[in-house]
Amino acid sequence: MTTPLLKERPASGQLPAPADQPASGHRAAPKRRSIIPYLLLLPALLAMLLFVYGPALLSFIGSFFVIPLSKGPWKFAGLDNYKSVLSDPLIQQAAWNTLVYSVATIIPSMVLGLLLALLMERLGRRSWLAKTALILPMTANMVAMAVVFKWIFALQGGLANQTLAMVGFAPVNWLGEAETSLASVILVGLWRATSLCTLLFMAGLTTIPGSIHEATAVEGIRGFAKLRTVILPMLKPTVVFVSVLSITGAAQVFEIVNVMTKGGPLGSSETIMTATQRVGFEYFRVGEASAMSFTLIAILLAVGIIGRRRTPKEES
Protein backbone atom coordinates (compact mmCIF):
# COMPACT_ATOMS: atom_id res chain seq x y z
CA MET A 1 0.00 0.00 0.00
CA THR A 2 1.41 3.36 -1.05
CA THR A 3 1.46 6.27 1.35
CA PRO A 4 -0.05 9.48 -0.08
CA LEU A 5 2.40 12.26 -0.45
CA LEU A 6 1.58 15.22 1.72
CA LYS A 7 2.51 18.62 0.46
CA GLU A 8 4.86 20.41 2.74
CA ARG A 9 3.21 23.53 4.16
CA PRO A 10 5.17 26.76 4.04
CA ALA A 11 6.49 28.26 7.20
CA SER A 12 4.40 30.76 9.07
CA GLY A 13 4.43 34.19 7.45
CA GLN A 14 5.70 32.85 4.16
CA LEU A 15 3.55 32.75 1.09
CA PRO A 16 3.89 29.96 -1.41
CA ALA A 17 5.71 30.82 -4.56
CA PRO A 18 3.52 31.57 -7.54
CA ALA A 19 2.92 28.66 -9.83
CA ASP A 20 4.34 30.48 -12.80
CA GLN A 21 7.50 31.56 -10.97
CA PRO A 22 10.54 29.87 -12.47
CA ALA A 23 12.87 27.74 -10.38
CA SER A 24 15.27 29.51 -8.06
CA GLY A 25 18.31 30.89 -9.73
CA HIS A 26 16.47 31.60 -13.00
CA ARG A 27 14.75 34.94 -13.47
CA ALA A 28 12.11 35.46 -16.07
CA ALA A 29 13.34 37.35 -19.08
CA PRO A 30 11.87 40.89 -19.24
CA LYS A 31 9.09 41.25 -21.71
CA ARG A 32 10.00 43.18 -24.79
CA ARG A 33 7.85 46.19 -25.39
CA SER A 34 6.72 46.61 -28.91
CA ILE A 35 7.64 49.89 -30.57
CA ILE A 36 4.77 49.65 -33.03
CA PRO A 37 2.35 51.76 -30.88
CA TYR A 38 4.98 54.49 -30.62
CA LEU A 39 5.59 54.40 -34.35
CA LEU A 40 1.85 54.78 -34.96
CA LEU A 41 1.73 57.79 -32.64
CA LEU A 42 4.83 59.40 -34.15
CA PRO A 43 3.12 61.20 -37.11
CA ALA A 44 0.52 62.75 -34.81
CA LEU A 45 3.20 63.80 -32.30
CA LEU A 46 5.31 65.37 -35.03
CA ALA A 47 2.27 67.22 -36.42
CA MET A 48 1.41 68.55 -32.95
CA LEU A 49 4.98 69.68 -32.35
CA LEU A 50 5.13 71.37 -35.75
CA PHE A 51 1.71 73.02 -35.88
CA VAL A 52 0.62 73.41 -32.22
CA TYR A 53 3.37 73.42 -29.62
CA GLY A 54 6.07 74.93 -31.81
CA PRO A 55 4.05 78.00 -32.85
CA ALA A 56 2.72 78.35 -29.30
CA LEU A 57 6.26 78.40 -27.88
CA LEU A 58 7.37 80.88 -30.55
CA SER A 59 4.37 83.09 -29.80
CA PHE A 60 5.13 82.98 -26.06
CA ILE A 61 8.72 84.03 -26.69
CA GLY A 62 7.51 86.74 -29.08
CA SER A 63 5.28 88.22 -26.38
CA PHE A 64 8.44 89.56 -24.70
CA PHE A 65 9.82 91.19 -27.85
CA VAL A 66 9.03 94.01 -30.24
CA ILE A 67 8.87 92.27 -33.59
CA PRO A 68 9.57 94.49 -36.61
CA LEU A 69 7.55 93.92 -39.75
CA SER A 70 10.58 94.29 -41.97
CA LYS A 71 13.60 92.11 -41.65
CA GLY A 72 15.55 92.89 -38.56
CA PRO A 73 16.38 91.63 -35.10
CA TRP A 74 13.73 91.34 -32.43
CA LYS A 75 14.06 93.89 -29.63
CA PHE A 76 13.65 92.59 -26.11
CA ALA A 77 10.81 94.43 -24.37
CA GLY A 78 10.36 92.40 -21.19
CA LEU A 79 6.88 92.90 -19.77
CA ASP A 80 6.21 96.11 -21.73
CA ASN A 81 3.89 94.31 -24.15
CA TYR A 82 1.79 93.02 -21.24
CA LYS A 83 1.71 96.48 -19.62
CA SER A 84 0.69 98.06 -22.93
CA VAL A 85 -2.09 95.52 -23.41
CA LEU A 86 -3.51 95.99 -19.93
CA SER A 87 -3.54 99.80 -20.27
CA ASP A 88 -4.98 99.98 -23.81
CA PRO A 89 -8.59 101.35 -23.81
CA LEU A 90 -9.45 99.19 -26.84
CA ILE A 91 -8.36 96.05 -24.98
CA GLN A 92 -10.15 97.13 -21.83
CA GLN A 93 -13.37 97.61 -23.83
CA ALA A 94 -12.88 94.21 -25.44
CA ALA A 95 -12.31 92.58 -22.05
CA TRP A 96 -15.48 94.18 -20.67
CA ASN A 97 -17.50 93.07 -23.72
CA THR A 98 -16.14 89.54 -23.35
CA LEU A 99 -17.17 89.52 -19.70
CA VAL A 100 -20.68 90.76 -20.56
CA TYR A 101 -20.97 88.19 -23.36
CA SER A 102 -19.84 85.41 -20.99
CA VAL A 103 -22.26 86.31 -18.20
CA ALA A 104 -25.15 86.79 -20.63
CA THR A 105 -24.62 83.45 -22.38
CA ILE A 106 -23.22 81.03 -19.78
CA ILE A 107 -25.83 81.18 -17.01
CA PRO A 108 -28.95 81.39 -19.27
CA SER A 109 -27.65 78.65 -21.57
CA MET A 110 -27.00 76.33 -18.61
CA VAL A 111 -30.46 76.92 -17.16
CA LEU A 112 -32.18 76.49 -20.54
CA GLY A 113 -29.99 73.50 -21.35
CA LEU A 114 -30.92 71.74 -18.10
CA LEU A 115 -34.62 72.41 -18.59
CA LEU A 116 -34.54 71.17 -22.18
CA ALA A 117 -32.59 68.07 -21.14
CA LEU A 118 -35.19 67.28 -18.47
CA LEU A 119 -37.93 67.78 -21.07
CA MET A 120 -36.16 65.46 -23.51
CA GLU A 121 -35.83 62.84 -20.79
CA ARG A 122 -39.52 63.06 -19.97
CA LEU A 123 -40.53 62.74 -23.64
CA GLY A 124 -38.30 59.69 -24.15
CA ARG A 125 -38.32 58.31 -27.69
CA ARG A 126 -40.90 60.86 -28.78
CA SER A 127 -38.23 63.59 -28.53
CA TRP A 128 -36.21 62.42 -31.56
CA LEU A 129 -37.24 65.44 -33.65
CA ALA A 130 -36.38 67.90 -30.88
CA LYS A 131 -33.04 66.17 -30.30
CA THR A 132 -32.22 66.47 -33.99
CA ALA A 133 -33.03 70.18 -33.89
CA LEU A 134 -30.78 70.60 -30.82
CA ILE A 135 -27.84 68.86 -32.47
CA LEU A 136 -28.07 71.10 -35.56
CA PRO A 137 -26.35 74.16 -33.99
CA MET A 138 -23.45 71.97 -32.86
CA THR A 139 -22.91 70.38 -36.25
CA ALA A 140 -23.40 73.47 -38.40
CA ASN A 141 -20.41 75.54 -39.43
CA MET A 142 -20.41 78.62 -37.20
CA VAL A 143 -19.14 80.95 -39.93
CA ALA A 144 -21.97 79.88 -42.25
CA MET A 145 -24.51 80.26 -39.45
CA ALA A 146 -23.14 83.71 -38.61
CA VAL A 147 -23.74 84.73 -42.23
CA VAL A 148 -27.34 83.52 -41.91
CA PHE A 149 -27.85 85.49 -38.68
CA LYS A 150 -26.26 88.55 -40.28
CA TRP A 151 -29.02 88.42 -42.88
CA ILE A 152 -31.66 87.86 -40.16
CA PHE A 153 -30.52 91.01 -38.32
CA ALA A 154 -30.01 93.09 -41.49
CA LEU A 155 -31.57 96.57 -41.47
CA GLN A 156 -33.10 96.23 -44.94
CA GLY A 157 -34.99 93.02 -45.63
CA GLY A 158 -33.86 91.18 -42.52
CA LEU A 159 -36.20 88.62 -41.02
CA ALA A 160 -36.11 90.28 -37.57
CA ASN A 161 -37.18 93.67 -38.92
CA GLN A 162 -39.81 92.10 -41.18
CA THR A 163 -41.28 90.39 -38.11
CA LEU A 164 -41.24 93.67 -36.19
CA ALA A 165 -42.97 95.42 -39.10
CA MET A 166 -45.81 92.88 -38.98
CA VAL A 167 -46.63 93.98 -35.42
CA GLY A 168 -46.18 97.67 -36.15
CA PHE A 169 -42.67 98.38 -34.86
CA ALA A 170 -40.06 100.45 -36.70
CA PRO A 171 -37.00 98.65 -38.08
CA VAL A 172 -33.96 98.41 -35.80
CA ASN A 173 -30.36 98.63 -36.98
CA TRP A 174 -29.38 95.60 -34.91
CA LEU A 175 -25.76 95.31 -36.05
CA GLY A 176 -25.10 98.98 -36.85
CA GLU A 177 -25.94 100.59 -33.52
CA ALA A 178 -23.68 100.48 -30.47
CA GLU A 179 -26.66 99.82 -28.19
CA THR A 180 -27.81 96.66 -30.00
CA SER A 181 -24.75 95.14 -31.69
CA LEU A 182 -23.44 93.25 -28.65
CA ALA A 183 -26.96 92.09 -27.72
CA SER A 184 -27.44 90.67 -31.24
CA VAL A 185 -24.20 88.75 -30.97
CA ILE A 186 -25.18 87.49 -27.52
CA LEU A 187 -28.47 86.09 -28.88
CA VAL A 188 -26.59 84.02 -31.45
CA GLY A 189 -24.07 82.87 -28.85
CA LEU A 190 -26.87 81.89 -26.49
CA TRP A 191 -28.52 79.84 -29.26
CA ARG A 192 -25.27 77.98 -29.82
CA ALA A 193 -24.35 77.50 -26.15
CA THR A 194 -27.82 76.22 -25.19
CA SER A 195 -27.46 73.42 -27.70
CA LEU A 196 -24.14 72.31 -26.19
CA CYS A 197 -25.42 72.50 -22.61
CA THR A 198 -28.54 70.49 -23.48
CA LEU A 199 -26.54 67.69 -25.02
CA LEU A 200 -24.15 67.50 -22.07
CA PHE A 201 -26.95 67.55 -19.49
CA MET A 202 -28.79 64.84 -21.43
CA ALA A 203 -25.66 62.71 -21.17
CA GLY A 204 -25.40 63.51 -17.46
CA LEU A 205 -29.01 62.52 -16.79
CA THR A 206 -28.40 59.08 -18.24
CA THR A 207 -25.87 58.40 -15.44
CA ILE A 208 -28.59 58.61 -12.77
CA PRO A 209 -29.76 55.04 -12.04
CA GLY A 210 -33.38 54.15 -12.59
CA SER A 211 -33.60 52.93 -8.98
CA ILE A 212 -33.13 56.54 -7.83
CA HIS A 213 -36.16 57.63 -9.83
CA GLU A 214 -38.16 54.69 -8.45
CA ALA A 215 -37.12 55.53 -4.87
CA THR A 216 -38.09 59.19 -5.24
CA ALA A 217 -41.46 58.15 -6.71
CA VAL A 218 -42.08 55.87 -3.72
CA GLU A 219 -41.13 58.68 -1.32
CA GLY A 220 -43.38 61.11 -3.16
CA ILE A 221 -40.55 63.45 -4.15
CA ARG A 222 -41.45 65.09 -7.45
CA GLY A 223 -41.05 68.26 -9.43
CA PHE A 224 -38.76 71.01 -8.19
CA ALA A 225 -38.09 69.20 -4.89
CA LYS A 226 -36.69 66.23 -6.82
CA LEU A 227 -34.62 68.53 -9.00
CA ARG A 228 -33.16 70.37 -5.99
CA THR A 229 -32.54 67.47 -3.62
CA VAL A 230 -31.75 64.57 -5.95
CA ILE A 231 -30.96 65.47 -9.56
CA LEU A 232 -28.77 68.55 -9.10
CA PRO A 233 -26.52 66.96 -6.41
CA MET A 234 -26.00 63.91 -8.63
CA LEU A 235 -25.35 66.15 -11.65
CA LYS A 236 -22.71 68.20 -9.84
CA PRO A 237 -19.74 66.81 -11.86
CA THR A 238 -21.63 67.50 -15.09
CA VAL A 239 -22.52 71.01 -13.94
CA VAL A 240 -18.86 71.78 -13.18
CA PHE A 241 -17.76 70.34 -16.52
CA VAL A 242 -20.37 72.32 -18.44
CA SER A 243 -19.42 75.48 -16.53
CA VAL A 244 -15.73 75.20 -17.39
CA LEU A 245 -16.50 74.34 -21.02
CA SER A 246 -18.94 77.24 -21.32
CA ILE A 247 -16.48 79.72 -19.81
CA THR A 248 -13.65 78.71 -22.13
CA GLY A 249 -15.99 78.79 -25.14
CA ALA A 250 -17.40 82.21 -24.29
CA ALA A 251 -13.95 83.70 -23.66
CA GLN A 252 -12.79 82.56 -27.10
CA VAL A 253 -15.79 83.76 -29.12
CA PHE A 254 -14.55 84.95 -32.50
CA GLU A 255 -16.44 83.73 -35.57
CA ILE A 256 -19.81 85.21 -34.63
CA VAL A 257 -18.41 88.66 -33.86
CA ASN A 258 -16.00 88.77 -36.77
CA VAL A 259 -18.65 87.87 -39.36
CA MET A 260 -21.63 89.79 -37.95
CA THR A 261 -20.11 93.06 -36.70
CA LYS A 262 -16.29 92.89 -36.97
CA GLY A 263 -16.23 94.27 -33.44
CA GLY A 264 -18.11 97.43 -34.33
CA PRO A 265 -19.54 99.91 -34.32
CA LEU A 266 -16.90 101.83 -32.36
CA GLY A 267 -15.73 98.69 -30.60
CA SER A 268 -19.13 98.11 -28.98
CA SER A 269 -19.03 94.39 -29.77
CA GLU A 270 -15.26 93.87 -29.75
CA THR A 271 -14.09 90.82 -27.81
CA ILE A 272 -10.67 89.64 -26.70
CA MET A 273 -10.20 87.31 -29.67
CA THR A 274 -11.29 89.83 -32.31
CA ALA A 275 -9.13 92.49 -30.65
CA THR A 276 -6.16 90.10 -30.71
CA GLN A 277 -6.69 89.49 -34.42
CA ARG A 278 -7.01 93.23 -35.04
CA VAL A 279 -3.89 94.16 -33.05
CA GLY A 280 -1.81 91.43 -34.66
CA PHE A 281 -2.94 91.51 -38.30
CA GLU A 282 -4.28 95.04 -38.79
CA TYR A 283 -2.09 97.11 -36.48
CA PHE A 284 0.86 94.69 -36.89
CA ARG A 285 1.78 94.81 -33.18
CA VAL A 286 2.63 91.15 -33.12
CA GLY A 287 4.31 91.16 -29.72
CA GLU A 288 1.28 92.75 -28.06
CA ALA A 289 -1.07 90.33 -29.82
CA SER A 290 0.98 87.44 -28.41
CA ALA A 291 0.83 89.01 -24.95
CA MET A 292 -2.97 89.28 -25.25
CA SER A 293 -3.22 85.63 -26.25
CA PHE A 294 -1.17 84.40 -23.31
CA THR A 295 -2.97 86.65 -20.87
CA LEU A 296 -6.22 85.00 -21.98
CA ILE A 297 -4.62 81.55 -21.74
CA ALA A 298 -3.48 82.30 -18.18
CA ILE A 299 -7.03 83.33 -17.23
CA LEU A 300 -8.52 80.20 -18.79
CA LEU A 301 -5.94 77.98 -17.08
CA ALA A 302 -6.84 79.54 -13.74
CA VAL A 303 -10.53 78.88 -14.41
CA GLY A 304 -9.77 75.29 -15.37
CA ILE A 305 -7.69 74.67 -12.23
CA ILE A 306 -10.39 76.14 -10.00
CA GLY A 307 -13.03 74.05 -11.75
CA ARG A 308 -10.88 70.94 -11.38
CA ARG A 309 -10.44 71.52 -7.66
CA ARG A 310 -14.16 72.05 -7.17
CA THR A 311 -15.01 68.84 -9.01
CA PRO A 312 -15.95 66.14 -6.47
CA LYS A 313 -13.53 63.25 -6.45
CA GLU A 314 -14.84 59.83 -7.29
CA GLU A 315 -15.04 57.43 -4.41
CA SER A 316 -12.60 54.63 -4.70
Side-chain angles (χ1 to χ4, degrees), residues 109-126:
S109 65
M110 290 183 65
V111 174
L112 290 174
L114 179 59
L115 294 177
L116 287 174
L118 292 171
L119 180 61
M120 296 299 109
E121 185 187 40
R122 179 178 290 272
L123 292 177
R125 293 183 179 180
R126 293 174 295 173

PDB file of all heavy atoms in Angstrom, residues 109-126:
ATOM      1  N   SER A 109     -27.745  79.873 -20.756  1.00  0.00           N
ATOM      2  CA  SER A 109     -27.646  78.650 -21.567  1.00  0.00           C
ATOM      3  C   SER A 109     -27.623  77.409 -20.685  1.00  0.00           C
ATOM      4  O   SER A 109     -28.172  76.364 -21.066  1.00  0.00           O
ATOM      5  CB  SER A 109     -26.391  78.702 -22.439  1.00  0.00           C
ATOM      6  OG  SER A 109     -25.220  78.682 -21.640  1.00  0.00           O
ATOM      7  N   MET A 110     -27.012  77.485 -19.509  1.00  0.00           N
ATOM      8  CA  MET A 110     -26.996  76.329 -18.606  1.00  0.00           C
ATOM      9  C   MET A 110     -28.386  76.051 -18.050  1.00  0.00           C
ATOM     10  O   MET A 110     -28.810  74.889 -17.957  1.00  0.00           O
ATOM     11  CB  MET A 110     -25.991  76.569 -17.475  1.00  0.00           C
ATOM     12  CG  MET A 110     -24.540  76.539 -17.942  1.00  0.00           C
ATOM     13  SD  MET A 110     -23.367  76.727 -16.587  1.00  0.00           S
ATOM     14  CE  MET A 110     -23.671  75.228 -15.673  1.00  0.00           C
ATOM     15  N   VAL A 111     -29.108  77.114 -17.683  1.00  0.00           N
ATOM     16  CA  VAL A 111     -30.464  76.918 -17.156  1.00  0.00           C
ATOM     17  C   VAL A 111     -31.380  76.356 -18.246  1.00  0.00           C
ATOM     18  O   VAL A 111     -32.097  75.369 -18.034  1.00  0.00           O
ATOM     19  CB  VAL A 111     -31.013  78.256 -16.610  1.00  0.00           C
ATOM     20  CG1 VAL A 111     -32.476  78.088 -16.201  1.00  0.00           C
ATOM     21  CG2 VAL A 111     -30.180  78.728 -15.423  1.00  0.00           C
ATOM     22  N   LEU A 112     -31.345  76.981 -19.439  1.00  0.00           N
ATOM     23  CA  LEU A 112     -32.180  76.489 -20.536  1.00  0.00           C
ATOM     24  C   LEU A 112     -31.779  75.079 -20.952  1.00  0.00           C
ATOM     25  O   LEU A 112     -32.630  74.234 -21.253  1.00  0.00           O
ATOM     26  CB  LEU A 112     -32.067  77.440 -21.734  1.00  0.00           C
ATOM     27  CG  LEU A 112     -32.719  78.809 -21.576  1.00  0.00           C
ATOM     28  CD1 LEU A 112     -32.390  79.694 -22.778  1.00  0.00           C
ATOM     29  CD2 LEU A 112     -34.229  78.658 -21.440  1.00  0.00           C
ATOM     30  N   GLY A 113     -30.466  74.824 -20.966  1.00  0.00           N
ATOM     31  CA  GLY A 113     -29.995  73.496 -21.347  1.00  0.00           C
ATOM     32  C   GLY A 113     -30.472  72.422 -20.389  1.00  0.00           C
ATOM     33  O   GLY A 113     -30.883  71.331 -20.809  1.00  0.00           O
ATOM     34  N   LEU A 114     -30.442  72.713 -19.082  1.00  0.00           N
ATOM     35  CA  LEU A 114     -30.916  71.737 -18.097  1.00  0.00           C
ATOM     36  C   LEU A 114     -32.415  71.493 -18.240  1.00  0.00           C
ATOM     37  O   LEU A 114     -32.877  70.339 -18.201  1.00  0.00           O
ATOM     38  CB  LEU A 114     -30.581  72.226 -16.689  1.00  0.00           C
ATOM     39  CG  LEU A 114     -31.036  71.320 -15.543  1.00  0.00           C
ATOM     40  CD1 LEU A 114     -30.419  69.937 -15.675  1.00  0.00           C
ATOM     41  CD2 LEU A 114     -30.683  71.942 -14.194  1.00  0.00           C
ATOM     42  N   LEU A 115     -33.168  72.575 -18.432  1.00  0.00           N
ATOM     43  CA  LEU A 115     -34.624  72.409 -18.588  1.00  0.00           C
ATOM     44  C   LEU A 115     -34.964  71.618 -19.845  1.00  0.00           C
ATOM     45  O   LEU A 115     -35.834  70.735 -19.819  1.00  0.00           O
ATOM     46  CB  LEU A 115     -35.303  73.792 -18.620  1.00  0.00           C
ATOM     47  CG  LEU A 115     -35.216  74.603 -17.322  1.00  0.00           C
ATOM     48  CD1 LEU A 115     -35.854  75.971 -17.519  1.00  0.00           C
ATOM     49  CD2 LEU A 115     -35.882  73.861 -16.174  1.00  0.00           C
ATOM     50  N   LEU A 116     -34.277  71.910 -20.937  1.00  0.00           N
ATOM     51  CA  LEU A 116     -34.536  71.169 -22.178  1.00  0.00           C
ATOM     52  C   LEU A 116     -34.124  69.709 -22.043  1.00  0.00           C
ATOM     53  O   LEU A 116     -34.797  68.818 -22.561  1.00  0.00           O
ATOM     54  CB  LEU A 116     -33.785  71.834 -23.338  1.00  0.00           C
ATOM     55  CG  LEU A 116     -34.357  73.163 -23.830  1.00  0.00           C
ATOM     56  CD1 LEU A 116     -33.429  73.792 -24.874  1.00  0.00           C
ATOM     57  CD2 LEU A 116     -35.738  72.961 -24.424  1.00  0.00           C
ATOM     58  N   ALA A 117     -33.019  69.458 -21.341  1.00  0.00           N
ATOM     59  CA  ALA A 117     -32.587  68.067 -21.137  1.00  0.00           C
ATOM     60  C   ALA A 117     -33.607  67.295 -20.302  1.00  0.00           C
ATOM     61  O   ALA A 117     -33.908  66.130 -20.599  1.00  0.00           O
ATOM     62  CB  ALA A 117     -31.221  68.048 -20.470  1.00  0.00           C
ATOM     63  N   LEU A 118     -34.146  67.935 -19.268  1.00  0.00           N
ATOM     64  CA  LEU A 118     -35.194  67.276 -18.470  1.00  0.00           C
ATOM     65  C   LEU A 118     -36.437  67.016 -19.304  1.00  0.00           C
ATOM     66  O   LEU A 118     -37.085  65.966 -19.170  1.00  0.00           O
ATOM     67  CB  LEU A 118     -35.533  68.149 -17.257  1.00  0.00           C
ATOM     68  CG  LEU A 118     -34.438  68.283 -16.198  1.00  0.00           C
ATOM     69  CD1 LEU A 118     -34.812  69.338 -15.176  1.00  0.00           C
ATOM     70  CD2 LEU A 118     -34.190  66.944 -15.502  1.00  0.00           C
ATOM     71  N   LEU A 119     -36.764  67.979 -20.197  1.00  0.00           N
ATOM     72  CA  LEU A 119     -37.927  67.783 -21.069  1.00  0.00           C
ATOM     73  C   LEU A 119     -37.696  66.633 -22.040  1.00  0.00           C
ATOM     74  O   LEU A 119     -38.588  65.810 -22.267  1.00  0.00           O
ATOM     75  CB  LEU A 119     -38.205  69.078 -21.839  1.00  0.00           C
ATOM     76  CG  LEU A 119     -39.390  69.046 -22.802  1.00  0.00           C
ATOM     77  CD1 LEU A 119     -40.684  68.772 -22.056  1.00  0.00           C
ATOM     78  CD2 LEU A 119     -39.474  70.353 -23.578  1.00  0.00           C
ATOM     79  N   MET A 120     -36.476  66.551 -22.595  1.00  0.00           N
ATOM     80  CA  MET A 120     -36.165  65.460 -23.509  1.00  0.00           C
ATOM     81  C   MET A 120     -36.244  64.111 -22.798  1.00  0.00           C
ATOM     82  O   MET A 120     -36.720  63.118 -23.358  1.00  0.00           O
ATOM     83  CB  MET A 120     -34.750  65.643 -24.085  1.00  0.00           C
ATOM     84  CG  MET A 120     -34.559  66.873 -24.937  1.00  0.00           C
ATOM     85  SD  MET A 120     -35.606  66.937 -26.388  1.00  0.00           S
ATOM     86  CE  MET A 120     -36.722  68.253 -25.905  1.00  0.00           C
ATOM     87  N   GLU A 121     -35.779  64.090 -21.543  1.00  0.00           N
ATOM     88  CA  GLU A 121     -35.827  62.835 -20.786  1.00  0.00           C
ATOM     89  C   GLU A 121     -37.268  62.413 -20.521  1.00  0.00           C
ATOM     90  O   GLU A 121     -37.617  61.233 -20.578  1.00  0.00           O
ATOM     91  CB  GLU A 121     -35.084  62.995 -19.463  1.00  0.00           C
ATOM     92  CG  GLU A 121     -34.977  61.694 -18.677  1.00  0.00           C
ATOM     93  CD  GLU A 121     -34.403  61.898 -17.303  1.00  0.00           C
ATOM     94  OE1 GLU A 121     -34.775  62.909 -16.660  1.00  0.00           O
ATOM     95  OE2 GLU A 121     -33.592  61.077 -16.866  1.00  0.00           O
ATOM     96  N   ARG A 122     -38.119  63.383 -20.244  1.00  0.00           N
ATOM     97  CA  ARG A 122     -39.520  63.062 -19.970  1.00  0.00           C
ATOM     98  C   ARG A 122     -40.223  62.560 -21.230  1.00  0.00           C
ATOM     99  O   ARG A 122     -41.055  61.643 -21.168  1.00  0.00           O
ATOM    100  CB  ARG A 122     -40.233  64.291 -19.423  1.00  0.00           C
ATOM    101  CG  ARG A 122     -41.715  64.074 -19.115  1.00  0.00           C
ATOM    102  CD  ARG A 122     -42.320  65.326 -18.531  1.00  0.00           C
ATOM    103  NE  ARG A 122     -41.813  65.574 -17.198  1.00  0.00           N
ATOM    104  CZ  ARG A 122     -42.354  65.084 -16.093  1.00  0.00           C
ATOM    105  NH1 ARG A 122     -43.427  64.325 -16.175  1.00  0.00           N
ATOM    106  NH2 ARG A 122     -41.832  65.350 -14.920  1.00  0.00           N
ATOM    107  N   LEU A 123     -39.880  63.153 -22.393  1.00  0.00           N
ATOM    108  CA  LEU A 123     -40.531  62.740 -23.638  1.00  0.00           C
ATOM    109  C   LEU A 123     -40.054  61.381 -24.117  1.00  0.00           C
ATOM    110  O   LEU A 123     -40.772  60.698 -24.843  1.00  0.00           O
ATOM    111  CB  LEU A 123     -40.284  63.801 -24.725  1.00  0.00           C
ATOM    112  CG  LEU A 123     -40.965  65.157 -24.506  1.00  0.00           C
ATOM    113  CD1 LEU A 123     -40.565  66.119 -25.615  1.00  0.00           C
ATOM    114  CD2 LEU A 123     -42.479  64.994 -24.476  1.00  0.00           C
ATOM    115  N   GLY A 124     -38.807  60.999 -23.745  1.00  0.00           N
ATOM    116  CA  GLY A 124     -38.301  59.693 -24.149  1.00  0.00           C
ATOM    117  C   GLY A 124     -38.079  59.612 -25.646  1.00  0.00           C
ATOM    118  O   GLY A 124     -37.527  60.517 -26.266  1.00  0.00           O
ATOM    119  N   ARG A 125     -38.542  58.521 -26.262  1.00  0.00           N
ATOM    120  CA  ARG A 125     -38.320  58.311 -27.692  1.00  0.00           C
ATOM    121  C   ARG A 125     -39.105  59.295 -28.545  1.00  0.00           C
ATOM    122  O   ARG A 125     -38.800  59.470 -29.723  1.00  0.00           O
ATOM    123  CB  ARG A 125     -38.719  56.892 -28.063  1.00  0.00           C
ATOM    124  CG  ARG A 125     -37.823  55.827 -27.437  1.00  0.00           C
ATOM    125  CD  ARG A 125     -38.237  54.443 -27.897  1.00  0.00           C
ATOM    126  NE  ARG A 125     -37.359  53.427 -27.324  1.00  0.00           N
ATOM    127  CZ  ARG A 125     -37.500  52.120 -27.556  1.00  0.00           C
ATOM    128  NH1 ARG A 125     -38.488  51.695 -28.341  1.00  0.00           N
ATOM    129  NH2 ARG A 125     -36.660  51.262 -27.000  1.00  0.00           N
ATOM    130  N   ARG A 126     -40.106  59.909 -27.988  1.00  0.00           N
ATOM    131  CA  ARG A 126     -40.902  60.865 -28.777  1.00  0.00           C
ATOM    132  C   ARG A 126     -40.152  62.160 -29.037  1.00  0.00           C
ATOM    133  O   ARG A 126     -40.612  63.011 -29.782  1.00  0.00           O
ATOM    134  CB  ARG A 126     -42.203  61.173 -28.042  1.00  0.00           C
ATOM    135  CG  ARG A 126     -43.160  59.998 -27.939  1.00  0.00           C
ATOM    136  CD  ARG A 126     -44.343  60.356 -27.079  1.00  0.00           C
ATOM    137  NE  ARG A 126     -43.944  60.611 -25.698  1.00  0.00           N
ATOM    138  CZ  ARG A 126     -44.760  61.072 -24.763  1.00  0.00           C
ATOM    139  NH1 ARG A 126     -46.023  61.335 -25.072  1.00  0.00           N
ATOM    140  NH2 ARG A 126     -44.312  61.266 -23.538  1.00  0.00           N
TER     141      ARG A 126
END
